[in-house]
Amino acid sequence: MMKFEHVSLPQRVRFGTGGARENLAAEIEAFGASRVMVIATEGGRELAHTVADGQPVVRWHHEVVMHVPVEVAERAREAAEADRVDALVCIGGGSATGLAKAVALTSGLPIVAVPTTYAGSEATNMWGLTEGARKTTGVDDKVLPRAIVYDAALTVGLPVELSVASGLNALAHCVDSMWAPRADPIDRALAAEGIRALRLGLPQIVKEPAGIEGREYALYGAYLSAHAFASAGSGLHHKICHVLGGMFNLPHAQTHAVVLPHVLAFNAPYADDARRLIAAAFDASDAVEGLRQLREELDAPRALRDLGMPGDGIAAAADAVLAAVPPGNPRPVTRENIAELLSAAWEGNDPR
């Protein structure tokens, strides 16, 4: 018998290539905002000014740091309060969105997210802050962006290598949504379609970086992946990556890209329905092989050691992951098999 409880988060999505400025203006007008804070990285400054040109911006905030250190979040909160900001606009990837969420977490200010990567954070009510070597995450509806403005043209400037890593990060949301603590049939349907879209889009980006069709597929897939993930919750893959990111300050998307095939190979034999759905979405006979073929086509990053993780950190990471394992993971998790998984990901070994 089918029995489940599914929650869809309240959020408006405006999707249209070339329509970012117009759609952002419409959202700011809908909020009635008159004192906007725009959050974007230094590297995204020019694009942010172009997209938000003509809006009532009182603060352009460009101190954006990966994994959102608590001291960076506090300075952004102080700036928003000092300028009496009444709405936040984040333009960029997961780090910009994460900082906007950190401000909204304590202020309740509404967010309009304008993504330029495939991170997916814009579609979730999850936040993350890093203090020292520990990353803390949580769920709060205050941090959910009220609206998302998707424009594939804004992702054309994202280099192929980063596009691949970011897209595989989105794919990781899909895979985790198959067996995360609150996963249900709707989450799995969204995740499967997300995998299909990313499987179609990412190779096109590699072959034709300036093309729009591949970018649109990837952006569409990234939204579906995050929508599913927001409902299903954080599974084993994300717990591992949060530990590694906070402990070793590893690049977010690349870490997800490296760890994903190892988690899929770890869990798939213990989750028949999920394995079949993932394989079908890859148009492959086997889920692990489907991901392997896609990664081969994309020349995806392979080893945690290439990202700067020290080999002597595996033991401490295994202990931290074991303490964070989510309930209901398809395969029983032990310190030994997690250490083995991390060792394989650190070496870049074939997870099969």
Side-chain angles (χ1 to χ4, degrees):
M1 293 178 62
M2 187 179 294
K3 184 178 181 181
F4 62 89
E5 180 177 326
H6 178 85
V7 176
S8 292
L9 300 177
Q11 186 179 61
R12 181 164 45 247
V13 175
R14 295 178 184 260
F15 196 113
T17 299
R21 285 183 60 180
E22 177 184 345
N23 286 332
L24 175 60
E27 289 301 332
I28 291 174
E29 183 179 2
F31 286 169
S34 60
R35 301 186 64 82
V36 174
M37 178 178 182
V38 174
I39 296 173
T41 64
E42 279 290 348
R45 178 191 291 264
E46 183 177 348
L47 178 62
H49 280 259
T50 299
V51 172
D53 181 48
Q55 300 309 309
V57 180
V58 296
R59 165 75 66 161
W60 299 90
H61 191 86
H62 299 296
E63 188 193 9
V64 178
V65 180
M66 185 173 61
H67 302 304
V68 196
V70 291
E71 61 274 15
V72 173
E74 191 54 40
R75 285 193 288 271
R77 291 164 175 167
E78 291 169 357
E81 184 176 3
D83 286 334
R84 293 176 287 115
V85 167
D86 59 8
L88 304 167
V89 172
C90 51
I91 302 173
S95 296
T97 307
L99 183 58
K101 287 182 171 185
V103 176
L105 183 64
T106 56
S107 67
L109 290 171
I111 303 172
V112 182
V114 186
T116 61
T117 72
Y118 311 115
S121 176
E122 67 279 357
T124 79
N125 58 353
M126 302 173 188
W127 55 267
L129 291 167
T130 302
E131 186 169 15
R134 182 178 180 181
K135 185 169 186 176
T136 301
T137 61
V139 174
D140 194 309
D141 287 346
K142 290 199 297 290
V143 309
L144 176 73
R146 304 272 187 89
I148 310 172
V149 173
Y150 284 118
D151 183 344
L154 302 184
T155 70
V156 170
L158 189 66
V160 168
E161 184 178 334
L162 290 178
S163 297
V164 166
S166 185
L168 289 172
N169 179 17
L171 207 149
H173 290 130
C174 296
V175 170
D176 245 7
S177 296
M178 293 289 179
W179 45 54
R182 300 189 305 274
D184 62 44
I186 295 174
D187 299 327
R188 296 185 185 101
L190 292 168
E193 173 65 1
I195 292 172
R196 186 193 71 86
L198 290 159
R199 187 254 301 171
L200 293 173
L202 293 176
Q204 291 187 51
I205 292 172
V206 171
K207 293 173 185 173
E208 190 181 353
I212 289 297
E213 184 178 20
R215 301 277 180 180
E216 287 186 334
Y217 267 122
L219 210 51
Y220 165 63
Y223 170 70
L224 291 174
S225 73
H227 192 61
F229 181 66
S231 170
S234 187
L236 178 63
H237 171 88
H238 280 78
K239 296 300 185 182
I240 292 172
C241 291
H242 287 161
V243 166
L244 297 178
M247 189 173 284
F248 306 112
N249 196 34
L250 303 184
H252 181 82
Q254 291 89 336
T255 301
H256 281 269
V258 169
V259 171
L260 175 60
H262 298 275
V263 175
L264 180 58
F266 183 87
N267 270 343
Y270 296 77
D272 288 344
D273 289 346
R275 186 176 72 236
R276 284 192 289 268
L277 281 171
I278 295 168
F282 278 127
D283 193 23
S285 59
D286 175 76
V288 175
E289 176 61 17
L291 177 58
R292 188 200 66 78
Q293 290 174 1
L294 178 64
R295 286 173 49 82
E296 197 73 30
E297 192 173 359
L298 302 177
D299 191 23
R302 297 182 180 278
L304 291 173
R305 62 181 176 182
D306 295 338
L307 305 182
M309 178 180 168
D312 60 7
I314 291 173
D319 289 336
V321 170
L322 191 61
V325 172
N329 191 68
R331 179 178 180 177
V333 178
T334 66
R335 189 187 184 283
E336 289 72 24
N337 60 27
I338 281 296
E340 184 179 354
L341 184 157
L342 291 173
S343 295
W346 186 83
E347 291 280 359
N349 294 339
D350 187 331
R352 296 172 298 172

